[in-house]
């Protein structure tokens, strides 16, 4: 079956309908056969959409390998829900068939009492236990303990024989050469092994120049290492440079997507959601946002004081208040344009902290250019608004130009300051930016107004 | 040399200093040796930071393979700059040593006259030419023509022999089985080949269930396919299902990063930048932002009219104008929180268009909860602001609650509408969102004020 992207979604939908219908007619066996003929990712997608009772119908009598394949691809929360309904013995059997890193993640999500009980029932207990020691978002939490370590003096043909015998859950194409103490010395690929002279020792042709990650490294660092060096497998080592695990590229692709999601949600001014959108409750979504919204609301209250300070001016010329949303809004927009650019450039490593002055200078020139453009339009708008009131036009034009220049400069500095302080630059989100430039923008506006209009 | 992440940046900086010093002392040969001992990604990083004249010093006398390795890893603009200084013959030799997809990208960036001349000078002309036919951001533009196609009746041992003889630029672990007409039938991995009985035909054990992409598929679709199915190689086929190329995972990692960058820049309300931040000129950055900023400025002008409509009310109670930035700012914040969440959930496929009503209902409940929280704080703020003015407190509280509910609902619908209309939901950026809810928010606010305060 060759699945073309353009029709993939429809194909999966059709298969869902077919499996759903079979289950409905009590043809469980047939439904299982149809499902198991699919690629694991599609199996999981269809399974997740089935009603709860039909999910159980499918799982009953499915071989443990089949169940393991499906659970590996489901979202963590869905797996947890299913795990609760299984006996510890059933769960242990299924976990034995899963990739060690996935199994460890699942165990980590269970209450620790329960996880310990299940672990003792598992055949792969020794393989999984070390993985449970590391926080989820580190190299240690991401790595699998399923890898093949070779001695440095082993012949190529012997290494190939070992690979033929190795009954791994997944296909691996890189193997790791270690010394007697387990210290990582080099990496060989399957291609190197089949091209090598059968009696050559692996140490003779292994890659000695390689990249590894310390077990406590942040997952984002690992992702950048693998992306920077175009790696498909990244060895993880302890403080003594002993090999303890391997991170594979499929995990990193997920990390990159998750990190981008977090950045985007933070930029929007909300805490990142821990799970897929439709699985979050109203209360969870609210909790992820209301804190920030309140914080911004309270800090934005300062604008009320700024305006009160200019009460006399506003009283005399109420027309000035008509332009308040336009001016503060545009300042906020200019600031968040800049912030988004800088945060992303920091995130992918295009700029570093040391580039701060260069970035500021760059943004100030951009701000000046944009300020002049917007000031011209602003002048025309205000001038036409009160049929030919030149001084109102000048006030609005000058104020908006200054606000754009100011917001652009502040917008470039804030993420860099956050980064210097060791905070996530994405925390300096668009909304936070807007709030900060609003109060200062109003001050600029009404000071310019007092000066030009003399009110 | 084992590069630990924690010290990687420092190590690269140190090596830069050393190479820079060697070049300065005229020790070009030594500098080249130090540089070439590094991993290609590090070579390129150091090379890119060298002053122009030292870059030329390094390139002179470097073997073409070495130059090709460095150019492959540089940003497109840096490569173009260097390419301009080389003779067509030199460039052709270097391109011959590059991965075909990278070489095609570089040729695509040159003026077409020049590209055609260089192409005729290249040994790999036949391999590269077909790649030039496809737009950069499609499967065809991303794929490499360097792959190994096997006949279905070939024995495993013969296939292994072919792989041993194949002099590919890079290591590939998956091979493609085709029929006499070139139609893709299945995929075999190197691991399957060495585990198979030497005299088995590949058709007997190849994976017949596989995923492929049509040559015109968008690069983002390809990225999602590879991420969804955990693939490291994705075959690309033409309309007759004939194999025409292969996309490798390293290209997809770059695509994922680029797409996230685009989303983030759009969310910030700017057009995506085409190149790394520090390489863009003031004018290019301005151009990417000023259009949006002006558009938003003009649409935000509508707020002036809304306020003018309520001129009498504002004239009588100037205190109402003090709360304008607070109310419109909070409405904008609530809207962009929602928009960011929805855009990302759409982007990674967590929600689809058909979920629109479910999403709206979800967000309305969230908006109601948050509205009540913010309304309480808003009431207190206004009540305390004018020592115990209950009706002002009620006005602000009620208005801000309604604005939050309204902004959250609109914020969830806009990206979904954009997606329904076939537009990029990220275009419905935070700033655009704010602008839309500002005018409506003011209308809500001052209507509530008229109603409660009777002004």
């Amino acid at each position: 079956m060759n699945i073309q992207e353009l029709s993939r979604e429809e194909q999966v939908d059709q298969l869902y309908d077919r499996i759903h219908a079979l289950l409905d007619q009590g043809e469980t066996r047939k439904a299982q056969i149809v499902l198991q003929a699919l690629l694991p990712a599609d199996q999981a997608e269809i399974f997740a959409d089935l009603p709860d009772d039909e999910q159980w119908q499918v799982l009953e009598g499915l071989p443990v390998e089949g169940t393991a394949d499906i659970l590996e691809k489901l979202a963590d929360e869905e797996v947890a829900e299913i795990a609760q309904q299984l006996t510890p013995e059933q769960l242990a059997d299924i976990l034995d068939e899963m990739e060690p890193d996935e199994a460890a993640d699942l165990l980590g999500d269970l209450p620790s009492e329960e996880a310990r009980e299940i672990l003792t029932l598992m055949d792969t207990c020794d393989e999984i236990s070390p993985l449970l020691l590391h926080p989820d978002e580190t190299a240690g939490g991401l790595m699998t303990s399923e890898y093949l370590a070779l001695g440095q003096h082993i012949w190529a043909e012997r290494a190939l024989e070992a690979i033929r015998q190795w009954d791994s859950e997944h296909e691996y194409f890189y193997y790791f050469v270690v010394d007697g103490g387990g210290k990582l010395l080099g990496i060989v690929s399957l291609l190197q092994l089949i091209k090598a002279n059968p009696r050559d020792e692996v140490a003779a042709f292994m890659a000695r120049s390689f990249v590894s990650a310390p077990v406590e490294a942040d997952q984002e660092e690992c992702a950048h290492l693998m992306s920077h060096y175009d790696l498909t497998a990244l060895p993880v080592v302890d403080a003594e440079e002993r090999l303890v695990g391997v991170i594979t590229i499929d995990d990193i692709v997920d990390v990159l997507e998750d990190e981008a999601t977090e950045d985007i949600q933070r930029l929007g001014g909300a805490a990142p959601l821990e799970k897929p959108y439709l699985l979050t409750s109203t209360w969870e979504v609210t909790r992820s946002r209301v804190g920030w919204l309140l914080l911004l609301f309270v800090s934005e209250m300062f604008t009320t004081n700024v305006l009160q300070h200019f009460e006399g001016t506003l009283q005399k010329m109420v027309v000035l208040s008509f332009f308040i949303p336009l001016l503060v809004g545009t300042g906020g927009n200019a600031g968040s344009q800049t912030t988004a650019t800088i945060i992303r450039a920091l995130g992918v490593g295009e700029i570093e902290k040391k580039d701060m002055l260069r970035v500021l200078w760059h943004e100030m020139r951009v701000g000046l250019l944009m300020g002049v453009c917007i000031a011209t339009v602003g002048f025309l708008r205000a001038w036409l608004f009160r049929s030919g009131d030149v001084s109102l036009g000048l006030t609005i034009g000058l104020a908006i130009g200054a606000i754009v220049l100011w917001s652009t400069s502040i917008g470039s500095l804030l993420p860099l300051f956050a980064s210097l302080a060791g905070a996530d630059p994405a925390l300096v989100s668009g909304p936070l930016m807007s709030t900060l430039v609003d109060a200062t923008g109003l001050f600029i506006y009404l000071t310019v107004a007092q000066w030009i209009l003399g009110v």
Side-chain angles (χ1 to χ4, degrees), chain A residues 141-354:
Chain A
L142 213 57
M143 70 189 185
T144 178
S145 51
E146 188 179 54
Y147 58 83
L148 191 69
L150 302 168
Q152 54 181 317
H153 299 302
I154 192 176
W155 289 340
E157 62 176 13
R158 293 271 166 84
L160 280 172
E161 196 45 44
I163 291 162
R164 279 196 197 93
Q165 301 302 330
W166 186 32
D167 184 29
S168 64
E169 289 294 321
H170 288 260
E171 292 198 319
Y172 300 97
F173 299 104
Y174 289 93
Y175 315 100
F176 302 90
V177 184
V178 294
D179 70 10
K183 182 162 178 280
L184 183 60
L185 301 174
I187 300 180
V188 287
S189 74
L190 187 52
L191 202 61
Q192 285 177 307
L193 285 171
I194 73 150
K195 286 192 174 185
N197 189 318
R199 293 288 167 102
D200 273 354
E201 292 186 357
V202 293
F205 56 86
M206 69 185 184
R208 289 168 184 280
S209 184
F210 59 84
V211 181
S212 65
V215 71
E216 70 279 5
D218 183 80
Q219 60 175 3
E220 209 167 345
E221 282 170 33
C222 299
H224 285 164
L225 274 183
M226 294 189 78
S227 143
H228 185 68
Y229 291 106
D230 285 346
L231 306 175
T232 55
L234 176 67
V236 179
V237 295
D238 65 13
E240 279 80 42
E241 309 224 335
R242 283 183 306 235
L243 181 65
V244 292
V246 175
I247 300 175
T248 51
I249 186 75
D250 52 324
D251 296 320
I252 287 301
V253 168
D254 296 341
V255 168
L256 287 173
E257 291 205 327
D258 289 351
E259 299 282 348
T261 301
E262 273 187 36
D263 276 2
I264 287 173
Q265 289 176 342
R266 287 225 180 90
L267 264 178
L273 295 173
E274 295 290 319
K275 36 182 161 165
Y277 179 75
L278 287 178
L279 295 177
T280 51
S281 68
T282 302
W283 175 234
E284 283 167 328
V285 177
T286 305
R287 215 174 37 192
S288 78
R289 296 187 197 158
V290 76
W292 265 109
L293 197 63
L294 272 171
L295 185 70
L296 295 173
F297 185 72
V298 170
S299 67
E300 184 103 33
M301 282 178 184
F302 195 59
T303 57
T304 314
N305 300 82
V306 173
L307 288 171
Q308 192 184 20
H309 176 77
F310 291 97
E311 181 160 8
T313 309
L314 287 168
Q315 196 98 54
K316 270 179 257 163
M317 273 192 82
V318 77
V319 67
L320 286 176
S321 71
F322 298 171
F323 291 91
I324 289 175
L326 180 61
L327 268 63
V328 297
T330 304
N333 289 343
S336 45
Q337 285 185 331
T338 311
T339 308
T341 311
I342 303 298
I343 286 174
R344 187 59 186 172
L346 276 170
V348 298
E350 282 176 11
I351 56 177
E352 291 167 40
K353 293 165 203 161
K354 66 174 159 56

